[in-house]
Amino acid sequence: MPDHATLTDELKRLRKGRGVNSANITERAGPALRRLCGIGPDDPPAAVRDRLVTTLRDLSGRLPDDLRLALLAALGLHQDTTHPRLGERLEWLAARLARDSRTARRRADQACELLAEVVDGLPDEPAEPGDGWYVRRFSALVRLDGQAPEVTETRTIVATRDGIGELETEFSLPRHPADRRPTHDLGVSMLYGGRLVRRERRSESHFEFTVELPAELAIGQDHEYALRLRVPAGQPVRPHYLFVPYRRCDAFELRLRFDPLRLPRTLWRVTDSPLRVVDDGQPSGELLSPDAAGEIHQVFPEPRQGFAYGVQWKG
């Protein structure tokens, strides 16, 4: 792994200007960062940037929450810190932490130093970011105003290595406690962006799909695809739509559309929630109200892996 002091210095230099969004990113990535992120000498700017973003985001999850935020903000990795100057990003950080600007800068320095300590404990080999791709944006439209529930899921994915030609995705549809039907199923179809080549079922409620892309992706290249999921008419569903990421996802956006004449009595936002809390079926987050069209719109930036995000309702 890179030398602790060298990596700390390179992280602090990378913060300057636009951070990871700098136009001269190939020059900004020093030898310690290149070794840490597995960046080759001939990698193009898109690949350099993507490997930096992917690896530093992943490693930031090992820091305390305040230092993780400080690192993401200082480097321009947070979606709300795309400012052209480091000082502006630190002002944003100070406001988020409810501290002064000097404290924000100290936190950013501490984050770089602690990240370098974290790297000291990693295996002595270049990091391979993810398992080939991550989700830049995931959006779901849930229609509950028709004869049967229908979900449209749209993902923009980014390749973190060359040769990505297939994607694995999954969907869980737990049986409603009151459902006594002999069958429990889910329909799926491809809307655009690929071809559905496999549909597997590991259990009654867990479905897995394989999407074949129109062409293989190169490192740093993105691609959008969409699936439509339909619940059979008459099959009841549990009163929630939740996303639990098990790979990196930079943003999750959810829209639900209810029949305005049949609105739930109580709806609430689910954020950073263990699934056990969701199973309780009691309001655990911000209460929500549908608009005049019966719609709810929520955005979840940088959802954490293994936690639930979405909307739950009752009544």
Side-chain angles (χ1 to χ4, degrees):
M1 283 292 104
D3 172 76
H4 176 280
T6 302
L7 181 58
T8 300
D9 288 343
E10 289 189 11
L11 285 167
K12 291 180 177 180
R13 287 200 300 272
L14 182 62
R15 300 181 306 187
K16 296 178 180 178
R18 292 186 178 273
V20 296
N21 299 303
S22 299
N24 61 336
I25 193 66
T26 54
E27 289 78 26
R28 299 290 297 279
L33 279 169
R34 284 178 172 270
R35 185 180 179 196
L36 172 66
C37 302
I39 298 170
D42 300 320
D43 283 346
V48 173
R49 194 185 319 279
D50 193 77
R51 285 186 177 271
L52 283 170
V53 168
T54 301
T55 304
L56 294 175
R57 275 187 187 278
D58 288 347
L59 290 173
S60 73
R62 299 171 183 247
L63 304 181
D65 288 345
D66 61 331
L67 296 186
R68 176 178 183 270
L69 181 64
L71 185 80
L72 296 177
L75 292 173
L77 287 165
H78 192 285
Q79 67 172 15
D80 293 333
T81 57
T82 56
H83 312 78
R85 291 186 292 275
L86 173 60
E88 294 174 294
R89 297 195 294 277
L90 292 178
E91 288 176 7
W92 177 91
L93 176 63
R96 281 290 298 266
L97 297 175
R99 296 289 189 269
D100 59 32
S101 57
R102 286 179 297 178
T103 300
R105 183 174 286 276
R106 282 198 299 272
R107 296 286 173 84
D109 288 343
Q110 291 166 2
C112 291
E113 292 161 4
L114 184 55
L115 187 73
E117 288 183 17
V118 167
V119 170
D120 277 346
L122 296 178
D124 191 19
E125 59 183 17
E128 177 62 32
D131 60 353
W133 58 279
Y134 69 90
V135 181
R136 175 178 291 161
R137 188 170 190 84
F138 170 42
S139 62
L141 169 62
V142 182
R143 301 267 326 248
L144 299 164
D145 58 341
Q147 295 295 317
E150 179 180 296
V151 180
T152 300
E153 294 189 341
T154 305
R155 290 174 174 84
T156 300
I157 64 102
V158 180
T160 58
R161 61 174 173 82
D162 292 332
I164 299 300
E166 284 189 348
L167 309 174
E168 304 290 337
T169 187
E170 56 191 51
F171 191 89
S172 290
L173 186 68
R175 184 184 282 266
H176 193 284
D179 186 9
R180 297 293 182 265
R181 295 158 52 98
T183 61
H184 180 77
D185 206 358
L186 176 70
V188 59
S189 59
M190 197 86 207
L191 293 181
Y192 63 83
R195 190 167 65 93
L196 200 60
V197 293
R198 277 191 296 276
R199 179 183 187 272
E200 298 180 5
R201 192 168 180 171
R202 289 204 173 179
S203 68
E204 181 186 61
S205 63
H206 191 78
F207 302 81
E208 295 184 351
F209 313 111
T210 301
V211 176
E212 183 180 78
L213 303 183
E216 289 189 349
L217 302 180
I219 185 170
Q221 187 176 359
D222 61 18
H223 179 76
E224 182 178 283
Y225 73 94
L227 293 171
R228 177 173 292 156
L229 305 156
R230 288 192 177 98
V231 175
Q235 178 175 299
V237 296
R238 295 200 179 193
H240 60 242
Y241 180 90
L242 301 173
F243 170 50
V244 182
Y246 291 107
R247 69 172 65 240
R248 171 185 163 188
C249 177
D250 290 350
F252 168 46
E253 180 180 17
L254 173 61
R255 291 183 184 271
L256 295 102
R257 182 176 174 87
F258 296 92
D259 183 338
L261 301 179
R262 294 184 290 114
L263 294 175
R265 186 171 64 251
T266 307
L267 299 98
W268 62 95
R269 177 182 168 101
V270 177
T271 307
D272 285 326
S273 178
L275 285 175
R276 293 253 181 212
V277 174
V278 173
D279 290 341
D280 291 341
Q282 298 299 319
S284 57
E286 176 190 355
L287 295 179
L288 305 173
S289 298
D291 62 20
E295 296 181 6
I296 294 281
H297 178 218
Q298 296 288 297
V299 176
F300 305 85
E302 300 180 350
R304 293 193 295 160
Q305 294 181 31
F307 292 86
Y309 301 82
V311 173
Q312 193 168 6
W313 59 91
K314 62 188 298 186

